[in-house]
Amino acid sequence: MQLLADQNAVVILEKTPIREDVLAEIFTASTLKLQMRNDIYSTYSLHAPPHLNEIKATVMCPATEKHVKKYQRKESFLVEETAQDYESITLPYIKKQSFSVQWVYNILDKKAESERILFEDPHPKLGFVLLPDFKWDQKQLDDLYLMAITHQRDIKSLRDLTSQHLPLLENILQKGQEAILKHYSLPASKMRIYLHYQPSYYHLHVHFTKLDFEAPGCRVERAHLLADVIQNLRSDPNYYKTRNLYFPLRADDGLLSQFKEAGRL
Ligand code: G7M
């Protein structure tokens, strides 16, 4: 890859799920090497033809030091953030440190990925763009992963949401579900629709993944179901402004050092 020669890059290599429609070809066109056999059990290394053995490659280049850190495996710690911690620790930190959201603006301004947009509601306050997350290669529905990005640019995360944002959140939930039903014939009962806290990018976005797919970041310590968020805001307009929120931070995350320095961990 010419691009990588003199720059830092993060390259993620992933074996994509095996699709049902290529199984017949895998069974007829591959070679098998027996590894072990015991009674009715045997294991093989199977060498499939190259076109059935694709590796998905995601490239970030040039990668900042923060990108490189984000993708290295590190131990995590669960942090409890009070409303006061958010104001005095998290907010100042994210204002200084957070990843650029230029890629998000490129999507909203149709300067990138416009051909991938599945659905758009252009309303400036209630609208959003729904498109595949770049973790999904769209070759099979098993790991379906879409993202709704709001047209409003001043909502950083879950923490900023109040009951004033209910029409926006309800719109994303309803129209997102309708678009997915129309395009992929997947009903709402097959979807996991949620926000991350903390997110990696501080521009409000909602994750749509297939329920059976254990997407990275869908665990309880990071994911907040959009339907729950809506209900919580209906019962308390300032729910997310006032509650303690919990989230994992990796050992090398600068925000973790800030919590440690403040004696909060
Ligand atoms: O953790 P957080 O809630 O901030 O999730 C951000 C999501 O954005 C992740 O699921 C990423 O895979 C996705 N993502 C990040 N980038 C830089 C891009 C991009 O350039 N295009 C698309 N389509 N998704 C992205």
Side-chain angles (χ1 to χ4, degrees):
M1 249 181 257
Q2 187 69 38
L3 191 68
L4 309 182
D6 56 355
Q7 305 183 80
N8 278 337
V10 172
V11 181
I12 303 167
L13 300 177
E14 290 162 289
K15 296 254 186 186
T16 51
I18 295 165
R19 299 198 316 267
E20 210 174 328
D21 60 309
V22 298
L23 280 182
E25 201 184 344
I26 287 188
F27 289 137
T28 51
S30 303
T31 57
L32 280 180
K33 273 194 208 141
L34 180 69
Q35 290 178 326
M36 74 98 195
R37 194 194 302 276
N38 181 353
D39 190 39
I40 61 164
Y41 308 99
S42 45
T43 63
Y44 296 86
S45 83
L46 182 150
H47 297 266
H51 69 283
L52 298 177
N53 204 8
E54 184 184 308
I55 294 178
K56 177 174 183 268
T58 308
V59 179
M60 286 159 236
C61 183
T64 64
E65 204 181 313
K66 209 169 173 229
H67 283 103
V68 174
K69 271 191 178 168
K70 174 177 157 116
Y71 288 95
Q72 279 167 344
R73 259 184 237 287
K74 282 272 161 20
E75 200 184 354
S76 292
F77 297 87
L78 191 74
V79 172
E80 179 180 25
E81 180 197 70
T82 63
Q84 167 63 30
D85 292 334
Y86 178 72
E87 291 302 328
S88 62
I89 304 173
T90 311
L91 187 57
Y93 181 79
I94 61 182
K95 278 192 174 152
K96 266 205 328 245
Q97 296 286 330
S98 58
F99 280 136
S100 155
V101 288
Q102 189 54 51
W103 68 272
V104 172
Y105 296 157
N106 289 345
I107 290 173
L108 296 175
D109 295 338
K110 316 287 157 25
K111 290 183 182 154
E113 304 189 49
S114 56
E115 69 297 341
R116 286 155 50 85
I117 294 177
L118 192 77
F119 173 82
E120 176 170 15
D121 176 341
H123 192 283
K125 283 256 168 236
L126 306 181
F128 65 97
V129 167
L130 182 71
L131 83 170
D133 190 286
F134 77 173
K135 289 209 264 298
W136 184 37
D137 65 9
Q138 301 181 69
K139 294 210 171 124
Q140 57 285 308
L141 290 188
D142 308 65
D143 57 345
L144 178 138
Y145 200 145
L146 300 162
M147 202 179 359
I149 301 177
T150 60
H151 274 300
Q152 272 200 64
R153 296 189 178 197
D154 56 353
I155 314 170
K156 287 184 287 308
S157 74
L158 185 67
R159 260 291 181 215
D160 283 344
L161 295 174
T162 66
S163 55
Q164 169 204 323
H165 300 109
L166 279 169
L168 166 69
L169 301 173
E170 286 159 352
N171 194 42
I172 294 176
L173 184 60
Q174 191 203 325
K175 295 202 180 134
Q177 286 172 337
E178 283 168 9
I180 288 170
L181 182 62
K182 188 168 157 219
H183 278 81
Y184 303 109
S185 304
L186 280 176
S189 59
K190 302 299 278 177
M191 297 300 301
R192 181 190 295 113
I193 305 173
Y194 57 99
L195 291 89
H196 277 161
Y197 193 75
Q198 299 284 333
S200 317
Y201 303 95
Y202 289 86
H203 174 115
L204 195 76
H205 54 275
V206 177
H207 302 254
F208 288 71
T209 61
K210 192 155 176 265
L211 187 64
D212 300 327
F213 169 48
E214 289 257 336
C218 78
R219 296 196 190 145
V220 290
E221 70 276 27
R222 185 135 189 245
H224 297 253
L225 280 183
L226 179 57
D228 279 337
V229 172
I230 290 174
Q231 295 219 45
N232 290 336
L233 290 174
R234 279 190 196 138
S235 27
D236 174 358
N238 285 316
Y239 188 94
Y240 291 100
K241 293 262 184 213
T242 53
R243 294 289 296 225
N244 292 2
L245 294 175
Y246 301 83
F247 48 84
L249 287 177
R250 288 154 42 107
D252 59 344
D253 194 314
L255 184 55
L256 186 75
S257 321
Q258 300 293 309
F259 271 83
K260 279 187 178 158
E261 269 174 36
R264 295 286 296 117
L265 205 82

